[in-house]
Amino acid sequence: MVFKGNVTSFSAPGVVGGFQVLHSHAPLLASLKVGEVKIVEPTGVEHRFATSGGFVEVRENKVILLAETAERTDEIDTERAKASRERAQKRIAEKGPDIDIGRAKTRILSGINRLKVAGVN
């Protein structure tokens, strides 16, 4: 569990588009893609997470996020993210028969997202 508490806003990267959940939101079940999840507490404090997909359920003013991965901005190892992105780009460029192109593309997107959420280009 990376966060539990009261919030005024929850924003996530839905597969069919980004969305925001506020108080009294209609029930919702959504798939997530690689992107940024943002949570705003009643005090105005923002929490940002780099995620690599998952699912969100909204019901009775509760949001449950089941993410494949979720890293807070202060937990992101930017050097590791850059290295992972570069390894995946190299594997795609090699075009070997044993390369899983889909997995490599996902790793590239995840690395780019982690760097973006961390504020590094």
Side-chain angles (χ1 to χ4, degrees):
M1 184 178 306
V2 296
F3 182 88
K4 182 177 181 176
N6 293 322
V7 303
T8 57
S9 172
F10 171 88
S11 302
V15 170
V16 294
F19 62 93
Q20 182 180 32
V21 175
L22 302 172
H23 189 282
S24 296
H25 195 284
L28 170 72
L29 183 60
S31 296
L32 298 183
K33 64 181 182 178
V34 171
E36 178 180 6
V37 167
K38 184 168 80 169
I39 297 169
V40 180
E41 292 187 63
T43 60
V45 173
E46 276 188 9
H47 301 275
R48 296 172 47 226
F49 301 87
T51 63
S52 59
F55 297 93
V56 169
E57 178 184 23
V58 178
R59 191 169 42 107
E60 299 174 4
N61 283 319
K62 291 187 180 184
V63 176
I64 298 174
L65 166 62
L66 300 173
E68 293 175 25
T69 63
E71 292 177 273
R72 286 192 328 250
T73 53
D74 62 337
E75 294 177 329
I76 296 172
D77 181 338
T78 56
E79 292 306 314
R80 191 172 134 239
K82 286 178 188 177
S84 175
R85 179 190 62 193
E86 290 166 6
R87 278 192 311 274
Q89 288 170 329
K90 184 177 177 184
R91 290 185 62 79
I92 287 175
E94 290 172 357
K95 298 180 183 176
D98 62 332
I99 304 296
D100 182 342
I101 298 297
R103 183 175 177 192
K105 286 181 180 179
T106 299
R107 291 202 185 258
I108 291 170
L109 290 174
S110 180
I112 291 169
N113 180 57
R114 291 169 67 217
L115 293 169
K116 179 182 166 193
V117 172
V120 177
N121 293 328

